[in-house]
Amino acid sequence: MDNVVATINKKDSFHRKDLVSLVGIFATPLAILMGMTGILVNRLRGGKLYLCLGLLTLGALFNFVFPRLIARQSSLKIRGIVVQLRIITNVIFNSVLVYYLGEAFRPMWLVLALTPFATAIYASRARTLSASLTVSAALLTVFVLRGPVDAVGLAEQLTYCVFMLLISLMINKVAVYPPSSEEILTFLKHPAF
């Protein structure tokens, strides 16, 4: 039993510390690609163009540098505060991008989905749920601010919110404590549907 606990603690330590850098490596380039595509599709000019380019640049720098800042922190309390700061910053930056770019480039909402997906990789189920609900609130707020609100559009936004919530929880279930090879083989022999 001690061996199992040690293995779980080792997995927990790895996932909560080292996987943060993987999020920056994979999610940030996707966000940049989507943002640049959104800018091109919207044919932005002037202040809106500079704002969106600035947010993309700051977001990229923040998300590439951030994992190094966390790695240097030995205090779990400080690490937790820095992680929360990253989530809040990403939600704000991405909400503004979705507001300006999402109407003409509809897949832009996916940049908001990256936050709960990424959180699910290294955080607890409760934090994953919190990130999903926060991003869902941001997405719905952007939708209402853009106006006018119609039933079909609202249904679409609510579907996005449910998608983010369920996929985030699924990612969290698999990522935080990934199954061993033996568990996978057992499941394949006797699926629990």
Side-chain angles (χ1 to χ4, degrees), residues 20-193:
V20 174
S21 63
L22 290 179
V23 172
I25 291 169
F26 294 105
T28 302
L30 178 59
I32 293 168
L33 173 67
M34 292 189 69
M36 293 304 293
T37 304
I39 288 170
L40 292 172
V41 167
N42 279 282
R43 297 184 179 126
L44 293 182
R45 302 276 185 263
K48 289 180 184 177
L49 172 65
Y50 298 126
L51 175 65
C52 290
L53 286 174
L55 288 175
L56 279 174
T57 302
L58 286 173
L61 290 172
F62 185 68
N63 285 302
F64 281 127
V65 170
F66 175 79
R68 290 170 183 83
L69 294 175
I70 282 190
R72 294 181 185 162
Q73 295 299 324
S74 58
S75 168
L76 291 178
K77 184 176 180 179
I78 292 173
R79 190 178 288 174
I81 291 169
V82 174
V83 167
Q84 285 300 103
L85 175 65
R86 181 185 191 194
I87 290 171
I88 292 166
T89 302
N90 278 321
V91 170
I92 291 169
F93 284 9
N94 292 339
S95 294
V96 173
L97 290 169
V98 170
Y99 179 81
Y100 284 116
L101 305 176
E103 203 162 3
F105 185 59
R106 293 176 57 105
M108 195 67 200
W109 71 273
L110 287 167
V111 298
L112 279 171
L114 292 173
T115 297
F117 295 172
T119 302
I121 292 172
Y122 61 82
S124 69
R125 186 172 184 86
R127 287 185 65 182
T128 299
L129 182 61
S130 174
S132 296
L133 294 174
T134 300
V135 166
S136 293
L139 184 63
L140 292 172
T141 301
V142 166
F143 174 70
V144 169
L145 290 175
R146 257 200 253 139
V149 175
D150 65 319
V152 173
L154 182 59
E156 183 178 301
Q157 300 305 308
L158 291 172
T159 302
Y160 296 161
C161 293
V162 171
F163 171 79
M164 287 187 289
L165 175 71
L166 294 177
I167 297 299
S168 296
L169 292 174
M170 180 185 73
I171 292 169
N172 181 258
K173 180 75 173 170
V174 174
V176 173
Y177 296 108
S180 67
S181 300
E182 294 165 2
E183 291 170 323
I184 293 170
L185 290 174
T186 301
F187 175 76
L188 292 174
K189 288 179 185 174
H190 308 286
F193 292 100

